[in-house]
Amino acid sequence: MEASRFTSPAPVKQTHASSGVRQLVADYVTLTKPRVQLLLLLTTVATMEIAGSPSVGLILLTLLGGYLSAGGAGAVNHWYDRDIDARMARTANRPIPSGRVSPHAALIYGFSLQIASFLLLSLTVNVLAASFALLGFLGYVFVYTFWLKRTTPQNIVIGGAAGAVPPLVGWVAVTGSFDPAALYLFAIVFYWTPPHFWALSLRMKDEYAAVGVPMLPVVRGEDETRRQITLYSFLLVAVTFLPFAGRLFDGIYAVCAALLGGWFLFLAVRLQRHPDRASALKLYLFSMLYLALLFGAMVADVKL
């Protein structure tokens, strides 16, 4: 009885230590914004299949390099936005404002991931793919995060170009050279970003206003934001037909683009006519499914 009483705390300490390690790992993964990256990685894989017939190894190496680059940008974004994150309920428990990860460590981590990405892609894929991934990192960090996010309501329009880089990475990873046809895919993601993000920003308007971030609903109002969502949705659908007109894709893609685009426009117009949070959420959620299905239709069109 006495011996068991004195030895029982050891497993508890071990459990606490294991829990601490798991939390630390989870926090550093969170800094890379993994949920945001899922769609980026999907567009990368889809583009690789469109550009050729890549091996599984090439796909995995390209995805890892892309994840490291985008994850590094996400970590630097966490570092830079730690002041406003601490003041918003939605983000106050993030690793840095909560105190679980130091700002200095997060900044070093972010740039280290980008260095690792460039080395990995350069040595195992090609330098051009590494350069495009680096371009996306620089665009997200220096153009969007440092410059545009806190200065203009057009932040997501211009800065969204960084999120449209993954298809370019995927294309050059397979072909080893840049082809203007890849710009079709870049343009689709570029024009998809504003309605996707603005639908979400409508739901977070008050939080952005409280910390002084000039998102479109804060500066121009919700009515104008909904109008811009509708405008960019029409532009997006028009752009999705450019690859068909340019003979990059054929009938399967055209039909899917028409069906998906029609529903996207319906939700955008519905949001403009019914200005409620539920309509904004429906458009935001569908926009993610839309992009995934559209790129899936591209692959089906090429492979079938």
Side-chain angles (χ1 to χ4, degrees):
M1 287 290 290
E2 291 297 320
S4 63
R5 182 169 55 180
F6 284 114
T7 57
S8 59
V12 175
K13 290 181 180 179
Q14 185 176 6
T15 300
H16 287 168
S18 300
S19 178
V21 171
R22 286 196 299 269
Q23 181 64 63
L24 185 64
V25 171
D27 284 335
Y28 274 91
V29 171
T30 298
L31 289 175
T32 66
K33 299 191 174 185
R35 287 185 293 181
V36 175
Q37 290 217 48
L38 288 177
L39 273 179
L40 301 182
L41 296 178
L42 185 148
T43 62
T44 303
V45 174
T47 303
M48 293 180 75
E49 293 292 345
I50 294 163
S53 299
S55 66
V56 174
L58 180 61
I59 291 175
L60 292 177
L61 287 168
T62 304
L63 289 181
L64 178 57
Y67 185 93
L68 291 172
S69 180
V76 177
N77 178 268
H78 272 274
W79 166 80
Y80 190 78
D81 281 348
R82 65 191 185 278
D83 57 333
I84 59 177
D85 283 348
R87 295 159 56 194
M88 295 193 293
R90 181 178 61 88
T91 57
N93 196 44
R94 283 179 173 176
I96 301 176
S98 68
R100 296 192 303 271
V101 175
S102 73
H104 183 67
L107 182 62
I108 293 176
Y109 176 62
F111 280 99
S112 297
L113 289 181
Q114 174 51 48
I115 293 171
S117 167
F118 192 86
L119 291 174
L120 175 69
L121 291 175
S122 296
L123 295 174
T124 64
V125 181
N126 57 61
V127 175
L128 191 56
S131 299
F132 272 116
L134 174 60
L135 183 65
F137 174 89
L138 295 175
Y140 187 79
V141 170
F142 291 98
V143 178
Y144 173 69
T145 301
F146 289 2
W147 177 29
L148 297 173
K149 182 174 180 179
R150 305 194 191 196
T151 60
T152 172
Q154 294 299 308
N155 46 24
I156 199 63
V157 177
I158 305 170
V165 167
L168 302 182
V169 175
W171 190 283
V172 300
V174 175
T175 65
S177 62
F178 177 74
D179 190 318
L183 291 176
Y184 288 135
L185 311 184
F186 173 90
I188 288 172
V189 180
F190 178 80
Y191 280 97
W192 167 86
T193 302
H196 163 73
F197 186 83
W198 284 335
L200 177 64
S201 69
L202 283 170
R203 298 177 54 82
M204 301 190 300
K205 172 190 171 184
D206 293 339
E207 288 190 75
Y208 284 130
V211 296
V213 176
M215 292 301 177
L216 191 62
V218 177
V219 176
R220 303 287 296 277
E222 294 190 19
D223 288 342
E224 178 61 18
T225 301
R226 284 187 285 269
R227 192 182 75 83
Q228 290 290 328
I229 286 174
T230 302
L231 172 62
Y232 271 89
S233 296
F234 274 99
L235 289 173
L236 167 64
V237 173
V239 166
T240 61
F241 283 97
L242 292 179
F244 174 70
R247 305 303 299 274
L248 182 62
F249 304 121
D250 292 317
I252 293 176
Y253 169 78
V255 171
C256 292
L259 293 174
L260 291 169
W263 190 251
F264 199 108
L265 290 175
F266 169 77
L267 292 177
V269 172
R270 184 175 184 274
L271 173 59
Q272 189 169 7
R273 294 181 176 178
H274 302 280
D276 54 68
R277 294 293 188 266
S279 296
L281 180 60
K282 287 179 181 178
L283 177 59
Y284 171 73
L285 294 176
F286 177 73
S287 68
M288 293 186 286
L289 179 63
Y290 168 86
L291 193 66
L293 293 177
L294 188 69
F295 272 78
M298 296 177 191
V299 176
D301 187 277
V302 171
K303 298 298 184 181
L304 297 180

